[in-house]
Amino acid sequence: MAARLGADEFVLCFDALESHALDASVITDRLLSALNKPFSIGDQTVYLLSSAGLVTASNAFDDAESVLEHASLAMREAKRAGGARHVLYEPVMMDRAKQRGDLESDLRIALAEGQLFTVYQPIVDLADGSVAGMEALVRWRHPERGTVMPAEFIAVAEATGLIRELGDWVLNETCRQLVSWQMLLGDRSPRTVSVNLSRAQLADPGIVGRVADALSATRLLPVCLQLEVTESLAAQDAEVQARLKDLKQLGLTLALDDFGTGYSSLASLHDLPIDVVKIDRSFVCPVETSAHHRVLIESVVRVARSLGMSTVAEGIETACEAALLGALGCSKGQGYFYSTPLPAEEATAWLCAYRSPSVVLK
Ligand code: C2E
Ligand code: CA
Ligand code: CA
């Protein structure tokens, strides 16, 4: 039996199959390969990608609604895996969907009740040892789970649109923090603060206005703010590139985060309106043992410099790595060797206690 459920969703029921999962898979594959062939309409070739979720009687349910709900969960998993395929329902999918739902409602509460906080990690000038900046990283003080890391909730925030509110909060909080360091610490204040922007934030045309609002609300000079965007996102999209240029027009600087992990290459650097290239930890980590990685880093440094960009080595964990990266020409370094990310008060104490190596030598 075949029926249209609504919009572009259809339901097929098979009965009297001998081996439920196997037979249903074979039939569905035949169906999908027929649907996924190009169609000719006039002189146009049209491609449709169809995905399917399968539920079998062995996962017996009481009512039609739950059968449809489970099939739909499996279908969404098929789409998430790239589409043009089928996925068989497994109970773990229900658990995952529930966890995502719980996380979403908890995150709404977190934003409303102020459970988010920022930690700060220093970025140190490798030439003179001074504190060049602080990168803000968001954390969630969950009432039951303790501190939750961004890897667990940024993707949910992006998928649900909560990233806008979350991102605005981090931006305002971080600008406010730098102004307060400038007043409290004078010369000892970091020169800049960096804030991460994710794909969904940059896709939002309102972001330029909201960054301008954060700067004027906190009275932070635009040159003191750096925004970090990732390589994959900055390289491709013309609209995103135009937005990056608008952001730069505000007077702030842009850093390309995690360089080396995405698809863009050294050759594409010159297309991007960026000031700083952050070399990913996966390049920095093997630097002591791998001549290959040292050569790679040297090339990135050289190309960046020729384009007027500076470089930051991410994830420096030892004094030896710091020395090597300085010798390879990297302008700045960041990592556990200098400090782990610290809550605002501890970061203030770190800034007060920090003596740059050149000061120690004097
Ligand atoms: P990221 O921007 O690449 O941040 C660096 C990550 O590496 C941080 O993880 C930091 O704690 C960790 N790290 C720093 N130094 C070292 C080191 O020496 N060794 C090792 N093993 N790790 C080091 P974290 O805080 O868990 O953040 C993960 C990612 O979440 C960030 O990667 C960033 O992409 C994203 N993120 C964090 N805060 C925000 C935010 O406010 N907004 C957005 N959109 N994304 C954020
Ligand atoms: Ca970053
Ligand atoms: Ca990074």
Side-chain angles (χ1 to χ4, degrees):
M1 184 175 74
R4 176 163 176 240
L5 199 60
D8 58 353
E9 292 189 350
F10 299 84
V11 182
L12 300 173
C13 291
F14 310 125
D15 60 7
L17 297 180
E18 275 182 18
S19 158
H20 292 145
L22 187 64
D23 288 357
S25 288
V26 171
I27 299 171
T28 311
D29 273 346
R30 271 180 25 222
L31 193 67
L32 291 183
S33 67
L35 285 171
N36 292 339
K37 285 207 178 87
F39 291 88
S40 291
I41 300 181
D43 55 0
Q44 304 265 352
T45 306
V46 179
Y47 296 87
L48 295 177
L49 285 190
S50 329
S51 307
L54 298 186
V55 180
T56 64
S58 54
N59 275 315
F61 307 103
D62 303 336
D63 55 90
E65 245 159 49
S66 42
V67 172
L68 287 178
E69 188 193 355
H70 290 69
S72 157
L73 269 177
M75 191 261 294
R76 269 179 266 149
E77 296 265 347
K79 283 191 172 171
R80 242 196 297 275
R85 67 190 71 203
H86 78 261
V87 164
L88 185 65
Y89 173 78
E90 289 167 40
V92 65
M93 291 173 190
M94 188 54 105
D95 298 340
R96 277 205 293 267
K98 190 172 170 323
Q99 269 168 15
R100 273 197 301 274
D102 287 352
L103 205 60
E104 180 187 340
S105 55
D106 283 4
L107 194 53
R108 279 182 205 282
I109 297 170
L111 280 161
E113 298 191 351
Q115 293 169 7
L116 297 182
F117 65 106
T118 42
V119 290
Y120 299 89
Q121 188 178 36
I123 301 170
V124 172
D125 191 310
L126 290 175
D128 65 9
S130 63
V131 181
M134 283 280 192
E135 178 177 357
L137 297 156
V138 69
R139 299 287 183 266
W140 175 4
R141 199 178 289 112
H142 193 285
E144 283 133 39
R145 297 172 57 194
T147 301
V148 184
M149 301 300 276
E152 279 196 60
F153 62 88
I154 291 288
V156 175
E158 287 197 280
T160 53
L162 288 170
I163 191 73
R164 178 189 289 195
E165 198 182 331
L166 185 155
D168 288 353
W169 182 82
V170 173
L171 188 64
N172 279 277
E173 179 65 15
T174 306
C175 293
R176 195 198 52 69
Q177 181 61 58
L178 182 54
V179 170
S180 113
W181 276 329
Q182 288 168 341
M183 290 195 295
L184 185 73
L185 303 173
D187 288 351
R188 288 197 151 268
S189 167
R191 296 193 284 278
T192 60
V193 278
S194 306
V195 173
N196 292 283
L197 286 191
S198 65
R199 177 184 293 268
Q201 288 173 277
L202 261 197
D204 172 2
I207 185 73
V208 184
R210 295 207 310 283
V211 171
D213 289 348
L215 287 166
S216 61
T218 57
R219 295 169 175 264
L220 182 70
L221 283 177
V223 286
C224 297
L225 178 65
Q226 183 159 95
L227 298 177
E228 298 194 357
V229 300
T230 64
E231 188 185 352
S232 55
L233 138 182
Q236 299 138 7
D237 194 322
E239 201 179 311
V240 167
Q241 284 208 38
R243 197 152 300 136
L244 291 175
K245 292 203 174 97
D246 291 345
L247 283 168
K248 260 190 80 97
Q249 287 286 314
L250 299 176
L252 46 78
T253 56
L254 294 177
L256 192 59
D257 210 351
D258 308 334
F259 185 77
T261 57
Y263 295 108
S264 69
S265 61
L266 275 179
S268 64
L269 270 186
H270 76 278
D271 286 334
L272 298 171
I274 53 162
D275 307 279
V276 179
V277 178
K278 296 191 79 173
I279 304 171
D280 191 68
R281 197 171 80 84
S282 54
F283 284 76
V284 172
C285 219
V287 79
E288 284 180 51
T289 50
S290 159
H292 174 67
H293 284 85
R294 288 196 291 275
V295 172
L296 282 176
I297 290 175
E298 243 177 343
S299 332
V300 177
V301 168
R302 201 169 324 116
V303 173
R305 198 178 281 160
S306 74
L307 295 168
M309 301 166 183
S310 67
T311 41
V312 177
E314 296 192 291
I316 297 184
E317 294 189 352
T318 66
C320 180
E321 284 170 7
L324 265 172
L325 285 147
L328 292 172
C330 253
S331 343
K332 291 167 200 143
Q334 184 179 13
Y336 296 167
F337 171 61
Y338 302 103
S339 171
T340 56
L342 300 170
E345 249 178 55
E346 288 171 47
T348 308
W350 185 92
L351 285 165
C352 290
Y354 181 75
R355 298 281 177 277
S356 68
S358 57
V359 174
V360 175
L361 286 178
K362 281 179 207 160

